[in-house]
Structure formats: C-alpha cells, structure tokens
Amino acid sequence: MNSNTWYLMMIISILMAVLLFLNIAGYENAADARQVGVFVGLWAPTFGILGVRSQLNEK
C-alpha cells in the first residue's frame, strides 16, 4: 500500500472515533460508545506510522 492510503485510513479512523464517541452508532450505554471510540481512535497513530514508513520506502 502506498503512503496516501495509510494516511487516508488514519483520517477515517479519527472520524470514526469521533462519531463513536458522540454515540452516533446508537449504543444504549454511553460509556460503551466512548470505549469503542477510544479503541478505534488508537488506530490512527498506527496508520500514521505505517504511512511514514511507506513514504520512506517509496523514496
């Protein structure tokens, strides 16, 4: 995968985390929605690191 794809996945995971944190998905318990939002939000740094690694390999 190229670096732009990893960066796009990073942005999507941030948006998903915000939507989950705001309980757009309709969880009955708000605490569950926040926990899932934090879990998905932790994917963003991983995708960012993979994007940087991919970008360095493209050079």
Side-chain angles (χ1 to χ4, degrees):
M1 293 173 62
N2 64 5
S3 60
N4 290 335
T5 306
W6 289 115
Y7 293 140
L8 179 63
M9 289 176 64
M10 179 180 69
I11 292 170
I12 290 171
S13 69
I14 292 170
L15 292 175
M16 284 176 48
V18 169
L19 292 175
L20 286 166
F21 193 78
L22 295 175
N23 200 7
I24 301 297
Y27 282 90
E28 291 182 17
N29 190 357
D32 290 340
R34 289 190 189 114
Q35 288 175 351
V36 174
V38 169
F39 177 72
V40 171
L42 290 174
W43 296 346
T46 304
F47 291 143
I49 290 168
L50 289 171
V52 169
R53 179 181 172 269
S54 178
Q55 191 172 14
L56 290 174
N57 284 337
E58 289 171 0
K59 289 185 178 182

